[in-house]
Amino acid sequence: MMKKIILAIPKGRIMQELEPLLSRIGIIPESEFFNEKSRKLTFKTNFSNLEIVKIRSFDVASFVKFGGADIGICGKDVIEEFSSSEFYSILDLKIGKCRLSLAKEKNCEKNFLTLENIRVATKYTKISQEYFAKNGIQAEIIKLNGSIEIAPKLKLCDFIIDLVSSGQTLQENNMIEVEKILDITSYLIANRTSLKTKNFEMTELIKMFDES
Ligand code: PRP
């Protein structure tokens, strides 16, 4: 009897790239999975022991860390922000390419390297703190959960640290990238204990992703 595996998948834009990946691998979730209007959170697949949960990308790391999910897909940004010895990065899936960057408004003449104290809005407080500490910069980090690009406009801060993909959001909000902090792609991450207790099932699943 195969042991049950729960795979955590992030909601949002990444789904466009995940759909063809899952189909290449041969994982077919129940049809509700592709219905964006559906409020369902757990989904059966064509593998009787494999279930998929759809959650926010930041939460994938938490679910895999605490063993609520055995395996998950999340960006390098999330892995770095929530780094833990309870989960391992197993495989670079080479999808969801983007970057985490420091940005400011086009007309802002401030230089973050020479300023005494800067204020930065971001979802990524840990990565940001580490980045500024490494560069010897005094920074006050303001934690926001989304729509970060509005913060400089409303004078909350001069700089933001956020994801840049096409660059459209920065452009439409009159902002420019100052410096890239991290190159991002999505990874398969696995719970440390599940790798031991469900070794056969986990290895088989990882192999499927690896060979796709
Ligand atoms: C992300 C990110 C940026 C945007 C960048 O936001 O936070 O705002 O995408 O992408 P672009 O360079 O292609 O414009 P998302 O749409 O995931 O929503 P959020 O604001 O709730 O984080």
Side-chain angles (χ1 to χ4, degrees), residues 2-207:
M2 296 279 273
K3 290 178 182 156
K4 188 174 168 182
I5 299 287
I6 296 184
L7 166 68
I9 277 182
K11 289 182 190 174
R13 253 193 260 188
I14 191 77
M15 280 303 290
Q16 286 164 10
E17 286 176 86
L18 263 178
E19 279 186 35
L21 175 68
L22 290 178
S23 132
R24 244 187 356 257
I25 294 173
I27 295 176
I28 307 167
E30 60 180 302
S31 60
E32 275 288 275
F33 180 77
F34 299 107
N35 175 4
E36 277 175 30
K37 287 196 184 118
S38 167
R39 304 293 298 160
K40 215 169 145 55
L41 298 171
T42 62
F43 304 88
K44 293 197 172 74
T45 70
N46 54 326
F47 293 88
S48 60
N49 71 320
L50 180 67
E51 209 166 271
I52 299 181
V53 293
K54 228 198 252 184
I55 48 190
R56 282 172 194 269
S57 67
F58 265 43
D59 294 337
V60 169
S62 304
F63 274 89
V64 176
K65 174 178 166 181
F66 293 107
D70 302 291
I71 195 160
I73 292 172
C74 69
K76 181 92 180 209
D77 52 327
V78 178
I79 294 171
E80 294 280 313
E81 185 69 18
F82 293 93
S83 62
S84 160
S85 55
E86 292 308 308
F87 67 75
Y88 298 132
S89 295
I90 301 285
L91 189 66
D92 182 356
L93 297 172
K94 301 198 168 80
I95 58 170
K97 272 201 180 92
C98 59
R99 55 198 184 268
L100 188 69
S101 291
L102 181 77
K104 67 177 183 181
E105 284 195 303
K106 268 185 195 143
N107 57 11
C108 168
E109 282 170 7
K110 293 181 180 165
N111 179 344
F112 76 104
L113 288 171
T114 55
L115 280 178
E116 281 287 287
N117 203 340
I118 68 167
R119 283 170 99 183
V120 182
T122 186
K123 275 204 273 195
Y124 301 90
T125 53
K126 178 166 169 268
I127 296 176
S128 302
Q129 263 150 9
E130 286 170 359
Y131 171 75
F132 290 118
K134 200 174 71 193
N135 288 286
I137 296 162
Q138 277 281 335
E140 185 185 347
I141 315 277
I142 302 169
K143 164 88 200 261
L144 295 178
N145 293 308
S147 310
I148 319 286
E149 292 81 0
I150 204 158
K153 219 175 246 161
L154 301 181
K155 309 288 177 227
L156 222 62
C157 56
D158 290 309
F159 297 90
I160 65 166
I161 290 182
D162 198 16
L163 297 182
V164 182
S165 177
S166 65
Q168 189 188 348
T169 309
L170 286 183
Q171 202 177 10
E172 288 183 7
N173 287 285
N174 217 20
M175 298 188 73
I176 49 163
E177 231 174 317
V178 178
E179 197 162 288
K180 182 175 77 183
I181 295 175
L182 183 68
D183 274 312
I184 298 168
T185 49
S186 287
Y187 282 71
L188 203 55
I189 62 168
N191 177 269
R192 194 165 65 92
T193 310
S194 300
L195 278 172
K196 290 186 199 144
T197 56
K198 302 180 182 178
N199 184 267
F200 176 75
E201 292 80 0
M202 292 286 279
T203 309
E204 288 297 304
L205 186 58
I206 292 164
K207 230 190 280 170

